[in-house]
Amino acid sequence: SVTTYLRDGAKMAEEQISAITTQGQAALSQILPSLGINATAESSENGEKQEVVANGEIKKGEKSKTVIIEDVRAWKASLPVSQGATAVRELSEFEEVGAKL
């Protein structure tokens, strides 16, 4: 998509486009592993499409299953509870000890 934009949108020469894409690939191969992202997808033996997820795990061509919810209350009750909001500062910092006149 970057090559198409540079060729069609920015009207750059092919030499410049190949230089930019080479530099970009070299930079990404250094930056992504330092962020913990494995961006090299291995080819599947049976030709199945694979997708690389942010944590480096390869996600095979599986789709999530549709779940039919018959009892909404029971379904909501089965969901895990989040921790909720936590205070950034202690409330005692906002208390006023002395009376204002």
Side-chain angles (χ1 to χ4, degrees):
S1 64
V2 173
T3 307
T4 306
Y5 169 74
L6 292 175
R7 185 182 323 113
D8 298 337
K11 308 288 185 201
M12 296 180 80
E14 290 294 327
E15 297 168 355
Q16 291 176 328
I17 294 172
S18 64
I20 290 171
T21 54
T22 304
Q23 291 174 0
Q25 289 173 350
L28 285 177
S29 66
Q30 294 174 356
I31 293 171
L32 292 178
S34 67
L35 296 173
I37 301 171
N38 181 13
T40 56
E42 299 173 7
S43 60
S44 176
E45 294 175 3
N46 59 0
E48 190 174 296
K49 187 177 179 181
Q50 294 180 339
E51 179 182 334
V52 177
V53 193
N55 60 3
E57 295 177 3
I58 294 177
K59 183 177 179 182
K60 296 186 180 177
E62 57 193 38
K63 293 185 178 181
S64 61
K65 296 179 182 178
T66 303
V67 177
I68 298 174
I69 302 170
E70 295 176 1
D71 186 8
V72 176
R73 285 187 174 183
W75 179 76
K76 284 186 176 183
S78 70
L79 294 175
V81 179
S82 66
Q83 182 181 3
T86 56
V88 176
R89 294 190 206 172
E90 291 293 322
L91 291 177
S92 59
E93 292 181 27
F94 296 103
E95 292 178 357
E96 296 179 7
V97 180
K100 290 186 179 180
L101 298 176

